[in-house]
Amino acid sequence: MLLTEKATNIYTTPLRGNRRLIVLVLAIISFIVLSVFTFSRSSLSLGGPSCGRTIRTLNEAAALSSSTGGIGYNDRGGQAKFLNLNHLEATANAKEEQEHILILTPLKNAAVYLPRYFELIDRLTYPKDLITVAFLVSDTTDDTINILKEKADDFLNRQDPSQRYHEIAIYEKDFDFHLPEDKRHTFELQPLRRSFMARSRNYLLTAALREYHSWVLWLDVDVVEYPTTIIEDLQSVDVDVVVPNCLLQTDDGSFWAYDKNNWQETDESIEMQKELDPEYVLLEGYYEFLTNRYLMVDMPTHLGKFAKVPLDGVGATFTLVKANVHREGANFPPYVYKHQVETEGFAKMAKAMGFGVYGLPGYLIHHIRNS
């Protein structure tokens, strides 16, 4: 019996050792394969704003911000991000510092204006790979969205990489607000109309603003003339909010004001507001109620393009904003804020938060004469 047991131990001990070795080898191989697979998957999913991808369709552009930039990935589609915003700046040398700009344009039945709009944007001297253009299309019945898709495909898929834009985003949000074109500027309808415009701007801003944007440019679709260097020019002024002087385009080149929402308060306008109902909305350029404010379109234009003046209200035909102004909470009130709504309410809010709001009376751009 003892001999049998001893013989059995002689043959079974090496066999158990071999099994342990095989299990260990298989575990090591499995770990290596899993590591290689995980690294490959991660390397494909990682990337920032300039990840150098060459296949860029409209759908891919719309999903770009949610499919890149993460530091982790799992099969359920979740991502973890670490983003250090401490070094995100908007400087006077934005072009040299490679600072990203977000151009925002709300739209409604804008098909007729889009060819000129894109022509002017494409002439800009600011690097195209630092430009994101985003639209919010609302209550539209014309071909606006199809035109935007065609232009986005062109802007994102050009042969020359230096001519490709960083991102084109198209959002659609209807508010069921319909106003006949001939009633667009009726005095009594302005508070309601501009309240809906404020909502549209806020939707667009919150949907499109990314963590790498240093600047935000609000641009009307029907501005028809401005210098190719306007972005760099306005950035060089190095203030929180800045607007050029927007005039009406005329056949003979005569001086006609357009954007009367750029203005300064006066002693008379401040005194007048003390007696107003808090819910009363003040509007510029209407004979029905004169505000006694000093409009930028009435200020001297011969003091140079970069002679700046402080403003208390702004429009949004062409308004450049340092992105941190919006990030810290200054948006477009759809409610009455200090007797203003929308863009002028934004200026009042920004100033109340300590930001500087300025205009350039001598820097002229032109807006089309709407029907």
Side-chain angles (χ1 to χ4, degrees), residues 77-88:
Q79 288 186 341
K81 285 187 176 182
F82 173 78
L83 302 169
N84 187 348
L85 302 181
N86 288 312
H87 305 295
L88 183 65

Side-chain angles (χ1 to χ4, degrees), residues 104-108 110 117 134-138 197 200-202 204 218-221 316 342:
L104 297 178
T105 302
L107 297 174
K108 179 178 180 178
Y117 173 90
F135 306 91
L136 185 79
V137 184
S138 304
M197 291 174 63
S200 174
R201 292 187 190 281
N202 291 333
L204 179 54
W218 293 96
L219 174 59
D220 267 8
V221 69
E342 205 220 350

Side-chain angles (χ1 to χ4, degrees), residues 238-241 310-312 321-322 324-326 328-330 337-338 345-358:
D238 198 20
V239 294
D240 299 312
V241 181
L311 297 178
D312 297 296
V321 183
K322 290 187 176 182
N324 69 299
V325 176
H326 286 313
E328 294 192 20
Y337 179 77
K338 296 186 176 182
F346 159 70
K348 289 271 188 176
M349 189 179 297
K351 294 199 72 170
M353 296 171 64
F355 294 111
V357 180
Y358 291 87

Side-chain angles (χ1 to χ4, degrees), residues 26 253 305:
L26 289 175
K305 291 174 62 175

Side-chain angles (χ1 to χ4, degrees), residues 301-312:
T301 60
H302 64 280
L303 302 177
K305 291 174 62 175
F306 298 101
K308 66 179 186 288
V309 296
L311 297 178
D312 297 296

Side-chain angles (χ1 to χ4, degrees), residues 143-199:
D143 206 29
T144 293
I145 290 180
N146 288 333
I147 295 174
L148 292 178
K149 289 179 179 179
E150 292 174 2
K151 284 295 183 179
D153 186 60
D154 170 33
F155 277 26
L156 295 174
N157 292 291
R158 291 173 170 172
Q159 291 295 320
D160 183 354
S162 68
Q163 296 301 305
R164 298 176 192 161
Y165 288 73
H166 179 71
E167 184 179 357
I168 307 292
I170 305 166
Y171 305 97
E172 186 172 13
K173 168 61 180 174
D174 293 329
F175 297 97
D176 296 322
F177 179 69
H178 303 281
L179 192 66
E181 186 64 25
D182 61 344
K183 300 293 185 183
R184 179 181 176 189
H185 293 292
T186 301
F187 177 77
E188 294 80 8
L189 297 176
Q190 289 312 295
L192 178 62
R193 170 180 171 265
R194 297 194 60 188
S195 176
F196 276 97
M197 291 174 63
R199 293 171 61 188

Side-chain angles (χ1 to χ4, degrees), residues 29-215:
I29 293 173
S30 299
F31 176 79
I32 294 173
V33 171
L34 182 61
S35 299
V36 171
F37 176 79
T38 302
F39 176 79
S40 300
R41 190 82 175 266
S42 300
S43 64
L44 288 172
S45 67
L46 287 175
S50 57
C51 56
R53 301 169 68 179
T54 56
I55 302 175
R56 303 186 68 182
T57 65
L58 176 62
N59 291 334
E60 186 178 21
L64 188 60
S65 63
S66 61
S67 64
T68 62
I71 60 172
Y73 178 88
N74 63 49
D75 290 335
R76 294 186 300 275
Q79 288 186 341
K81 285 187 176 182
F82 173 78
L83 302 169
N84 187 348
L85 302 181
N86 288 312
H87 305 295
L88 183 65
E89 295 182 340
T91 67
N93 301 312
K95 187 175 181 178
E96 291 73 18
E97 297 296 329
Q98 297 285 288
E99 295 170 4
H100 281 257
I101 185 170
L102 171 64
I103 300 177
L104 297 178
T105 302
L107 297 174
K108 179 178 180 178
N109 291 329
V112 66
Y113 304 117
L114 288 174
R116 181 60 174 171
Y117 173 90
F118 282 108
E119 179 185 352
L120 290 175
I121 282 185
D122 217 28
R123 290 181 184 177
L124 292 170
T125 56
Y126 204 74
K128 292 176 172 50
D129 63 328
L130 299 177
I131 298 176
T132 297
V133 189
F135 306 91
L136 185 79
V137 184
S138 304
D139 302 313
T140 289
T141 57
D142 68 2
D143 206 29
T144 293
I145 290 180
N146 288 333
I147 295 174
L148 292 178
K149 289 179 179 179
E150 292 174 2
K151 284 295 183 179
D153 186 60
D154 170 33
F155 277 26
L156 295 174
N157 292 291
R158 291 173 170 172
Q159 291 295 320
D160 183 354
S162 68
Q163 296 301 305
R164 298 176 192 161
Y165 288 73
H166 179 71
E167 184 179 357
I168 307 292
I170 305 166
Y171 305 97
E172 186 172 13
K173 168 61 180 174
D174 293 329
F175 297 97
D176 296 322
F177 179 69
H178 303 281
L179 192 66
E181 186 64 25
D182 61 344
K183 300 293 185 183
R184 179 181 176 189
H185 293 292
T186 301
F187 177 77
E188 294 80 8
L189 297 176
Q190 289 312 295
L192 178 62
R193 170 180 171 265
R194 297 194 60 188
S195 176
F196 276 97
M197 291 174 63
R199 293 171 61 188
S200 174
R201 292 187 190 281
N202 291 333
Y203 262 93
L204 179 54
L205 175 64
T206 54
L209 186 62
R210 300 287 181 262
E211 66 274 3
Y212 49 82
H213 290 134
S214 295
W215 299 88

